[in-house]
Amino acid sequence: MTEVDSVVAHGAHDLRVQRTELPMMSASEVEVAPAVGGICGSDLHYFHDGGVGDFTIREPLVLGHEIAGTVTRIGGDVIGLPVGTRVAIDPSRPCGTCESCRRGERNLCTDGRFLGSAARTPHVQGGFRRRIVVGAAQCVALPDDLNFADAVFAEPLAVAFPAVGRGGPLLGRRVLVTGAGPIGALIVLAAHRAGAAEITVTDVLDAPLAFARRLGAHATVNVAEIDGDGVIEECDVAFEASGAPAALPTCAARLRPGGRLVLVGLLPPGLVPAPGNRVVTRELDVVGSFRFVGAEFRAALDALATGLDVSALLTGRFGIDDAVAAFETASRREESMKVQIVFDGS
Amino acid sequence: MTEVDSVVAHGAHDLRVQRTELPMMSASEVEVAPAVGGICGSDLHYFHDGGVGDFTIREPLVLGHEIAGTVTRIGGDVIGLPVGTRVAIDPSRPCGTCESCRRGERNLCTDGRFLGSAARTPHVQGGFRRRIVVGAAQCVALPDDLNFADAVFAEPLAVAFPAVGRGGPLLGRRVLVTGAGPIGALIVLAAHRAGAAEITVTDVLDAPLAFARRLGAHATVNVAEIDGDGVIEECDVAFEASGAPAALPTCAARLRPGGRLVLVGLLPPGLVPAPGNRVVTRELDVVGSFRFVGAEFRAALDALATGLDVSALLTGRFGIDDAVAAFETASRREESMKVQIVFDGS
Amino acid sequence: MTEVDSVVAHGAHDLRVQRTELPMMSASEVEVAPAVGGICGSDLHYFHDGGVGDFTIREPLVLGHEIAGTVTRIGGDVIGLPVGTRVAIDPSRPCGTCESCRRGERNLCTDGRFLGSAARTPHVQGGFRRRIVVGAAQCVALPDDLNFADAVFAEPLAVAFPAVGRGGPLLGRRVLVTGAGPIGALIVLAAHRAGAAEITVTDVLDAPLAFARRLGAHATVNVAEIDGDGVIEECDVAFEASGAPAALPTCAARLRPGGRLVLVGLLPPGLVPAPGNRVVTRELDVVGSFRFVGAEFRAALDALATGLDVSALLTGRFGIDDAVAAFETASRREESMKVQIVFDGS
Amino acid sequence: MTEVDSVVAHGAHDLRVQRTELPMMSASEVEVAPAVGGICGSDLHYFHDGGVGDFTIREPLVLGHEIAGTVTRIGGDVIGLPVGTRVAIDPSRPCGTCESCRRGERNLCTDGRFLGSAARTPHVQGGFRRRIVVGAAQCVALPDDLNFADAVFAEPLAVAFPAVGRGGPLLGRRVLVTGAGPIGALIVLAAHRAGAAEITVTDVLDAPLAFARRLGAHATVNVAEIDGDGVIEECDVAFEASGAPAALPTCAARLRPGGRLVLVGLLPPGLVPAPGNRVVTRELDVVGSFRFVGAEFRAALDALATGLDVSALLTGRFGIDDAVAAFETASRREESMKVQIVFDGS
């Protein structure tokens, strides 16, 4: 039985670097040595709250689902992924047999396994450790000139790109993005690339808004200081990426009749105050966007491989032994955008 | 100056039958003698609350926007609508020049005139009176064999049909309808005609649920007596037609991942508790449906003319002098579905 | 090695009932004894032309992909499908790894295996034989009260229903269907259930048009005798189900501006004369519909299980030894709609 | 009665600069002195063929529908457009009452008036003359810093932008554009702005392909010299902008299963050879895109006003007296992209 160093959440504010047991590898699986892992907002929720949305940590959980690394062993049925292949890992493993999968909506799989998630118990252990076992089908080989630090952005990009797609064609459209954290920032980047005519971004801190401007925002509003209602123009499409319920009425108030609101940020579980009457009378479309299918993960990686520059978003790198410091730094939104954990690969 | 008997709301619980002045008729307008008028939920809101949603009565308002009658005079530029023509009246008169109209979304006109509405001040006076002046373009001639009592259903049908269309193709789909008032009932009728495999309907009263079963519902649940969560099956598409915020979590809880929720019932103004997290994680589509374009009004009338039977929905008829009784009867949901006011036309 | 009686196409007009070897069964597969098999238009193309569309018979091919029967043996990993289970067989087996599958568009799998098809070589042998080995995931258990003769309609229904769905919501719409063979007839049935206001059907023979009227067509036109252009009304949505290129200009000529044409019938390979200019200037949508995903097969079976009556379409039943007569009868469109082959199951 | 110098097509190869009578101006109309007019492909068709598509010149026709100029007189009901206002002219004037208009699809108006078009008789006279009378609603005021030469690109942009929108979200998608004339070039520009990952462009001449590369094409193929089938990669969305039927099979062959083909170029009237079978079996979407609504014209003008640079496309400018030379130059695709006629405005 192999044990490897891992970043393990035991509950709120109880994150430990400790050895965990590596599971057996089946014939269709591979073992990967992670090189870089990105800390995501849901990792931070596990760190601070001991859970995220409806999911609560019920047993020790290795965090991490933004992972790139090198294949170190392969199962008997695996072809085309020789040891030594540099890969990005798609953290989703849909079941293939639920009603959603049968409809082809694998992003909506109701029985899937997602790396580093407490959605099911036993939890699916994540990728912040020195070795990880995943399905070969989850691995996408990296082009030679794509480094690991960029490649791990494939996962959050695979969230942001379909979310932007859910907004419909953006060419010439006026866009509002509420929340300028890593996902909001990538949505700004994507909306800018998609030809949005005007992109307005709101947040409650100046630092992330500065990032948003660098990534393509035409205007930013610190809604902790200024009432957005007075200064935000009417828009065609809004993306809610803050997870803050207060953003919902802002979005609805600024959308034109027939406009479209894409909810990306994970809102608090249960009920939140929402502008339902306005959705009816203005005939708005409000659509959720949460996960992605394999083709979307590959498309995100392709975008990185062909020059999409996300390096401005990387604000910190820490070794695995400094994982707690990494999480604390990532939590300070006034200074951090994306923080990565670097594994030595040995 | 002509004055005609009218049903006028002066504020909450202050409905009077009194004479009002008929406005001048322009060259593109016609004068119609209403024969029948249907009382709609928004009329009842004006009656009980002195307003509906964000719109408050600020001056006396002739109610009524479900109207059919006979043309009695025509403006100089009107062709094809001779005096004596029996018509149904499309209560919408979009401005034609706002951004929504320029996009072709005349149902979303931000400067339109809607019969019997306090949305703008001066209010647009409605059709519950012995004469009314409307645009010739708002009048659709009735086929000989369509009587007025059926023809006035064109307006609520023109609400229900596009709402059902917003739900996407329903053939073989499982449908939930919350609220079995007149609009909910017409949505049941429409969903049934659209081939829904299963239609479940909820309400807080048994009487409207009995109507729903007659119109095509396969199952009904009185959610005042039974907790719907335990008995309502998963559905593909939900239609919220009650206007009760409590229906929102019910709909979201029963929708399959990727399902679609159409909001038709006018929710209370401002913020209502809504299952935002579920919209995100299940990637639901929540879309509002409020009004209609001229082609949809005509399609609804065509459906009535070619045999769509709505007569079961008509539960009461009152003369104009008994308008207050008509409104009181219409307000008793345990006995009434659609109540009409009958004008003698003289 | 097991050999079983099979209906084998060797080329054009060379259909033989002969013994063929049953392949080995893997752990995830089951063996089924077909009870009933329906003859499809593509089977007839193999019979008459030695191929269908771009696919040509290059080796003996057991025909048949509309199959229901009883499970006779199961592989080691199969659960929930005990021997004796009555099943309908979904003839599609998508690869799960091609780009289409990764997008969730399993109906568009570019490396799939479809029963009784020469699309790939070696051909995928079909279901017109006394035993067949298929993936357990392809089998859907039948409710007790659904007989085999009805259950085999699940496959053509699973073609017709999504095709109708590709036409968008049909409630109150005017529909044209060109071609009243089995697929066209099922589209008429489905469009009728989906609430189409008017359904006009064309064919070059009177007999299938009589079927169409029974299934819900409001008007039929024998375009071998009457020039359709003069008599067919404008429509909102057209379904081309004849496979005859001559139907394309008819559809385009009768569609309203912005109308939608769904191509279902397999057109001749290569180029066919099409009204391209009209597609541009009237901004038509022309969309192809060919296959289905697993959820759609199940939905079709559900429709049959809950009372969709297709029995009127069944015009002939033959034993396996009379397979050639069955194919010849099925080819006479003036007398046949759907012809089935009945296996004794022993 | 006023007569003004005009560019008049009398039939194929019979273009004359001559005086024509200016019509009376109604109360809702304005008189504009054109400053610049762009020559469009349909103008060239009238010039060379005496017609375009199904429309044939039956009486002298003033050409031109890409027009910007200065208001010189206004009708009595016109507000907000004082004499001296610099405007771009939307050449479309939908009827407002046909079924398409009632549906809100004003771009599909079946009784509209389009500047410089033989679609109806009497023809609607165009804008290549020293004065023109148009509806006030057709005029959009120019921002001060937008010159006339750029502003006249609003019309072809208003064709290209919605066409690109008909292709769906392009972010990260692989795009093919067949035909690199002015509309194809603007589609390349728009697809590039909409974030397409790869844009491949085909034409039969090198010169327009060089323009396409400057506007964002990643690869170009001269299909007069190279068989495109061998070198063009699979794409997600194709735009046919050549009007050459030979491009249809190229597009269909390169589209992925489930891909989308937008037909923009006006194909020859009647039937053209098209890959119908491939549309069926690959479940392609083929959609036409022809005209635009008022909001789209304004959006195009907004894009120009906020920095969209189209100046590279302007390859020639001629005075009205040299109109024939302008048309001849514009016809030489090996040297010209967009050619403009400049009026002195007096």
Side-chain angles (χ1 to χ4, degrees):
Chain A
M1 186 194 317
T2 314
E3 291 203 329
V4 294
D5 289 343
S6 310
V7 180
V8 185
H10 288 256
H13 294 289
D14 183 1
L15 189 74
R16 310 177 201 166
V17 179
Q18 65 182 86
R19 295 185 76 77
T20 62
E21 187 184 325
L22 205 60
M24 301 295 294
M25 185 175 76
S26 79
S28 64
E29 290 182 318
V30 300
E31 183 193 86
V32 173
V36 175
I39 298 175
C40 166
S42 65
D43 296 317
L44 294 177
H45 274 292
Y46 284 121
F47 175 59
H48 289 286
D49 309 329
V52 58
D54 294 324
F55 315 146
T56 302
I57 293 181
R58 298 175 195 282
E59 58 186 357
L61 173 67
V62 179
L63 296 178
H65 57 267
E66 305 179 359
I67 305 292
T70 304
V71 174
T72 47
R73 279 199 308 144
I74 64 174
D77 292 349
V78 174
I79 50 176
L81 266 184
V83 168
T85 307
R86 299 164 65 253
V87 296
I89 296 174
D90 177 348
S92 292
R93 202 171 182 174
C95 74
T97 58
C98 72
E99 274 305 296
S100 290
C101 284
R102 281 180 200 280
R103 260 193 301 271
E105 300 170 346
R106 295 159 71 106
N107 52 315
L108 300 174
C109 174
T110 54
D111 196 27
R113 302 172 60 80
F114 193 87
L115 281 192
S117 162
R120 53 192 301 160
T121 304
H123 299 343
V124 181
Q125 300 299 322
F128 288 166
R129 46 181 170 173
R130 293 207 191 274
R131 288 290 186 284
I132 180 174
V133 170
V134 293
Q138 294 176 260
C139 297
V140 186
L142 302 184
D144 286 346
D145 54 355
L146 184 61
N147 63 44
F148 287 125
D150 286 342
V152 282
F153 278 94
E155 205 276 341
L157 261 187
V159 171
F161 270 33
V164 167
R166 288 271 267 163
L170 294 188
L171 181 62
R173 299 290 165 88
R174 300 157 299 170
V175 166
L176 173 66
V177 181
T178 53
I183 291 295
L186 288 171
I187 284 175
V188 171
L189 181 68
H192 181 68
R193 276 172 78 92
E198 294 169 29
I199 303 174
T200 303
V201 184
T202 67
D203 202 299
V204 293
L205 288 172
D206 287 333
L209 291 173
F211 274 101
R213 282 193 298 274
R214 233 183 298 161
L215 294 166
H218 302 90
T220 56
V221 180
N222 184 328
V223 286
E225 296 173 357
I226 299 173
D227 178 8
D229 287 2
V231 298
I232 304 173
E233 300 288 323
E234 189 180 73
C235 67
D236 301 295
V237 184
F239 297 92
E240 201 310 284
S242 72
L248 297 178
T250 301
C251 289
R254 305 326 306 162
L255 276 174
R256 69 159 171 87
R260 198 165 172 86
L261 167 57
V262 183
L263 300 182
V264 193
L266 216 47
L267 291 159
L271 302 179
V272 295
N277 179 275
R278 197 147 178 108
V279 174
V280 179
T281 59
R282 309 265 286 190
E283 300 200 10
L284 305 179
D285 285 9
V286 182
V287 303
S289 192
F290 188 45
R291 291 208 168 139
F292 46 85
V293 295
E296 290 164 335
F297 184 81
R298 282 159 188 264
L301 200 60
D302 279 352
L304 292 164
T306 55
L308 179 66
D309 186 4
V310 291
S311 57
L313 290 166
L314 180 57
T315 54
R317 311 190 83 198
F318 291 80
I320 183 169
D321 294 333
D322 299 321
V324 173
F327 272 70
E328 283 169 349
T329 302
S331 303
R332 289 195 291 276
R333 297 191 63 231
E334 61 278 12
E335 73 180 68
S336 295
M337 184 55 72
K338 178 61 75 180
V339 171
Q340 295 181 344
I341 295 176
V342 184
F343 304 85
D344 65 9
S346 67
Chain B
M1 187 195 316
T2 314
E3 292 202 330
V4 295
D5 289 345
S6 311
V7 180
V8 185
H10 288 255
H13 295 289
D14 183 0
L15 189 74
R16 311 178 200 166
V17 179
Q18 65 183 85
R19 295 185 75 77
T20 63
E21 188 182 324
L22 205 61
M24 301 295 294
M25 186 175 76
S26 79
S28 65
E29 291 182 318
V30 300
E31 183 193 87
V32 173
V36 176
I39 297 176
C40 166
S42 64
D43 295 317
L44 294 177
H45 275 292
Y46 283 121
F47 175 60
H48 289 287
D49 309 329
V52 58
D54 294 324
F55 316 145
T56 302
I57 293 181
R58 298 175 194 282
E59 58 186 355
L61 174 66
V62 179
L63 296 178
H65 56 268
E66 305 180 359
I67 305 293
T70 304
V71 174
T72 48
R73 280 199 308 145
I74 64 174
D77 291 350
V78 175
I79 51 176
L81 267 184
V83 168
T85 307
R86 298 164 66 250
V87 296
I89 296 175
D90 176 348
S92 292
R93 202 172 180 170
C95 75
T97 58
C98 72
E99 275 306 296
S100 290
C101 284
R102 281 180 200 280
R103 262 192 300 273
E105 300 171 344
R106 294 159 70 107
N107 52 315
L108 300 174
C109 174
T110 53
D111 195 27
R113 301 172 61 80
F114 193 87
L115 280 192
S117 163
R120 54 193 300 161
T121 304
H123 300 343
V124 181
Q125 300 300 321
F128 289 166
R129 46 181 170 173
R130 293 207 191 274
R131 288 291 184 286
I132 180 174
V133 170
V134 294
Q138 293 176 261
C139 296
V140 186
L142 302 184
D144 286 346
D145 53 356
L146 183 61
N147 63 43
F148 288 125
D150 287 341
V152 282
F153 278 94
E155 204 276 341
L157 261 187
V159 171
F161 271 34
V164 167
R166 288 272 267 164
L170 294 186
L171 182 62
R173 300 291 165 89
R174 301 158 299 171
V175 166
L176 173 65
V177 180
T178 53
I183 290 296
L186 288 171
I187 284 174
V188 171
L189 180 68
H192 182 66
R193 276 172 78 92
E198 295 169 30
I199 303 174
T200 303
V201 184
T202 68
D203 202 298
V204 293
L205 288 172
D206 287 334
L209 291 173
F211 274 101
R213 283 193 297 274
R214 230 181 301 159
L215 294 166
H218 303 89
T220 56
V221 180
N222 184 329
V223 288
E225 297 173 357
I226 300 173
D227 177 8
D229 287 1
V231 297
I232 304 173
E233 301 288 323
E234 189 179 76
C235 67
D236 300 295
V237 185
F239 297 93
E240 199 312 281
S242 72
L248 297 178
T250 301
C251 289
R254 304 328 304 162
L255 275 174
R256 70 160 170 87
R260 196 165 173 87
L261 168 57
V262 183
L263 300 182
V264 192
L266 216 47
L267 291 159
L271 303 179
V272 295
N277 179 275
R278 197 148 178 108
V279 174
V280 179
T281 59
R282 309 266 286 190
E283 300 198 10
L284 304 179
D285 285 8
V286 182
V287 303
S289 192
F290 188 46
R291 291 210 168 138
F292 46 86
V293 295
E296 290 164 334
F297 184 81
R298 281 158 189 265
L301 201 59
D302 279 352
L304 293 164
T306 55
L308 179 66
D309 185 3
V310 292
S311 57
L313 291 166
L314 180 56
T315 55
R317 311 191 82 197
F318 292 79
I320 182 168
D321 295 331
D322 298 321
V324 173
F327 272 70
E328 284 168 349
T329 303
S331 302
R332 288 194 291 276
R333 297 190 63 230
E334 60 278 12
E335 72 180 71
S336 295
M337 184 56 72
K338 178 60 76 180
V339 172
Q340 295 181 346
I341 295 177
V342 184
F343 305 85
D344 64 9
S346 65
Chain C
M1 184 194 319
T2 314
E3 291 204 330
V4 296
D5 289 343
S6 310
V7 180
V8 185
H10 289 255
H13 295 288
D14 183 1
L15 189 75
R16 309 176 202 168
V17 179
Q18 66 181 82
R19 294 184 76 78
T20 63
E21 186 184 324
L22 205 61
M24 302 294 294
M25 187 175 74
S26 78
S28 65
E29 290 181 319
V30 301
E31 184 193 84
V32 173
V36 175
I39 298 176
C40 166
S42 66
D43 295 317
L44 293 176
H45 274 292
Y46 283 122
F47 175 59
H48 289 286
D49 309 330
V52 57
D54 293 325
F55 314 146
T56 302
I57 293 181
R58 297 174 196 283
E59 58 186 358
L61 174 67
V62 179
L63 295 179
H65 57 268
E66 304 179 0
I67 304 293
T70 304
V71 174
T72 48
R73 279 201 306 145
I74 64 172
D77 292 349
V78 174
I79 51 174
L81 267 184
V83 168
T85 308
R86 299 163 65 251
V87 296
I89 296 175
D90 176 348
S92 292
R93 202 173 183 171
C95 74
T97 57
C98 72
E99 275 305 297
S100 290
C101 284
R102 279 181 201 279
R103 260 193 300 273
E105 300 171 345
R106 295 159 70 107
N107 53 316
L108 299 174
C109 173
T110 53
D111 196 27
R113 301 172 62 80
F114 193 87
L115 282 192
S117 163
R120 51 193 301 159
T121 303
H123 299 343
V124 181
Q125 301 299 322
F128 289 165
R129 47 180 170 174
R130 292 206 192 272
R131 287 291 185 284
I132 180 173
V133 170
V134 294
Q138 295 177 260
C139 296
V140 186
L142 302 185
D144 285 346
D145 55 354
L146 184 62
N147 64 43
F148 287 126
D150 286 341
V152 282
F153 277 94
E155 204 276 340
L157 261 188
V159 171
F161 269 33
V164 166
R166 288 271 268 165
L170 295 187
L171 181 63
R173 300 290 165 89
R174 301 156 300 169
V175 166
L176 173 65
V177 180
T178 53
I183 291 294
L186 288 171
I187 284 174
V188 170
L189 180 68
H192 182 67
R193 276 172 78 91
E198 296 169 28
I199 304 174
T200 304
V201 184
T202 68
D203 202 299
V204 294
L205 288 170
D206 287 334
L209 291 174
F211 274 102
R213 282 194 298 274
R214 233 183 298 161
L215 294 166
H218 303 90
T220 57
V221 180
N222 184 327
V223 287
E225 296 174 356
I226 298 174
D227 177 9
D229 287 1
V231 297
I232 305 173
E233 299 290 322
E234 190 180 74
C235 66
D236 300 295
V237 184
F239 297 93
E240 200 310 284
S242 73
L248 297 178
T250 300
C251 288
R254 305 325 307 160
L255 276 174
R256 71 162 169 86
R260 197 163 171 89
L261 168 57
V262 182
L263 300 182
V264 192
L266 216 47
L267 291 159
L271 303 178
V272 296
N277 179 276
R278 197 147 178 109
V279 174
V280 178
T281 59
R282 309 265 286 191
E283 300 198 12
L284 304 179
D285 284 8
V286 182
V287 303
S289 192
F290 189 44
R291 291 208 169 140
F292 45 86
V293 295
E296 290 164 334
F297 184 80
R298 281 158 188 264
L301 201 59
D302 279 351
L304 292 163
T306 54
L308 179 66
D309 185 4
V310 292
S311 59
L313 290 166
L314 179 56
T315 54
R317 311 192 82 198
F318 292 79
I320 182 170
D321 294 332
D322 298 322
V324 173
F327 272 71
E328 283 169 349
T329 302
S331 303
R332 287 195 292 276
R333 298 190 62 232
E334 61 277 12
E335 71 180 70
S336 295
M337 185 53 74
K338 177 61 74 180
V339 172
Q340 295 180 346
I341 295 176
V342 183
F343 304 86
D344 63 11
S346 66
Chain D
M1 184 196 318
T2 314
E3 292 204 328
V4 296
D5 290 343
S6 310
V7 180
V8 185
H10 288 256
H13 295 289
D14 183 0
L15 189 75
R16 310 176 201 168
V17 179
Q18 66 183 83
R19 294 185 77 77
T20 62
E21 188 183 323
L22 205 60
M24 301 296 294
M25 186 175 76
S26 79
S28 64
E29 291 183 317
V30 300
E31 184 193 85
V32 173
V36 175
I39 298 175
C40 165
S42 65
D43 295 317
L44 294 176
H45 274 292
Y46 283 122
F47 175 59
H48 289 286
D49 310 329
V52 56
D54 294 325
F55 315 146
T56 303
I57 293 181
R58 297 175 196 284
E59 58 186 357
L61 174 66
V62 179
L63 297 179
H65 58 268
E66 304 178 359
I67 304 292
T70 304
V71 173
T72 48
R73 278 200 309 145
I74 64 173
D77 292 349
V78 175
I79 51 175
L81 267 183
V83 167
T85 308
R86 299 164 65 252
V87 295
I89 297 175
D90 176 348
S92 292
R93 202 172 181 170
C95 75
T97 58
C98 72
E99 274 306 296
S100 290
C101 284
R102 279 181 201 279
R103 261 192 301 272
E105 301 171 344
R106 295 159 71 106
N107 53 315
L108 299 173
C109 174
T110 53
D111 195 27
R113 301 173 61 82
F114 193 87
L115 281 193
S117 162
R120 53 193 300 160
T121 303
H123 300 344
V124 181
Q125 300 299 322
F128 289 166
R129 47 180 169 173
R130 293 207 191 271
R131 287 292 184 286
I132 179 174
V133 170
V134 294
Q138 294 176 260
C139 295
V140 186
L142 302 184
D144 285 346
D145 54 355
L146 184 62
N147 64 42
F148 288 126
D150 286 342
V152 282
F153 277 95
E155 204 277 340
L157 261 187
V159 171
F161 270 33
V164 167
R166 286 272 267 164
L170 295 187
L171 181 62
R173 300 291 165 87
R174 301 158 299 170
V175 166
L176 172 65
V177 181
T178 54
I183 291 295
L186 288 171
I187 284 174
V188 170
L189 180 68
H192 181 68
R193 276 172 80 90
E198 295 169 29
I199 303 173
T200 304
V201 185
T202 68
D203 202 300
V204 293
L205 288 171
D206 286 334
L209 290 174
F211 274 101
R213 283 193 297 274
R214 232 181 300 161
L215 294 165
H218 302 91
T220 56
V221 180
N222 184 329
V223 288
E225 296 173 358
I226 299 173
D227 178 8
D229 286 1
V231 297
I232 304 173
E233 300 290 323
E234 188 178 77
C235 66
D236 299 294
V237 184
F239 297 92
E240 199 313 281
S242 72
L248 297 178
T250 300
C251 289
R254 305 324 306 159
L255 275 173
R256 69 161 171 87
R260 197 163 172 89
L261 168 56
V262 183
L263 300 182
V264 192
L266 216 47
L267 291 160
L271 302 178
V272 296
N277 180 275
R278 197 149 178 106
V279 174
V280 178
T281 59
R282 309 266 284 191
E283 299 198 11
L284 305 179
D285 285 8
V286 182
V287 302
S289 192
F290 188 45
R291 293 213 167 135
F292 45 85
V293 295
E296 290 164 334
F297 184 81
R298 281 158 189 265
L301 201 59
D302 279 351
L304 292 163
T306 55
L308 178 66
D309 185 3
V310 293
S311 59
L313 290 166
L314 179 57
T315 54
R317 311 191 83 198
F318 291 80
I320 183 170
D321 294 331
D322 298 322
V324 173
F327 272 72
E328 284 169 348
T329 302
S331 303
R332 288 193 292 275
R333 297 190 63 230
E334 61 279 10
E335 73 180 72
S336 295
M337 185 55 73
K338 177 61 73 181
V339 172
Q340 294 181 346
I341 294 177
V342 183
F343 304 86
D344 64 10
S346 65

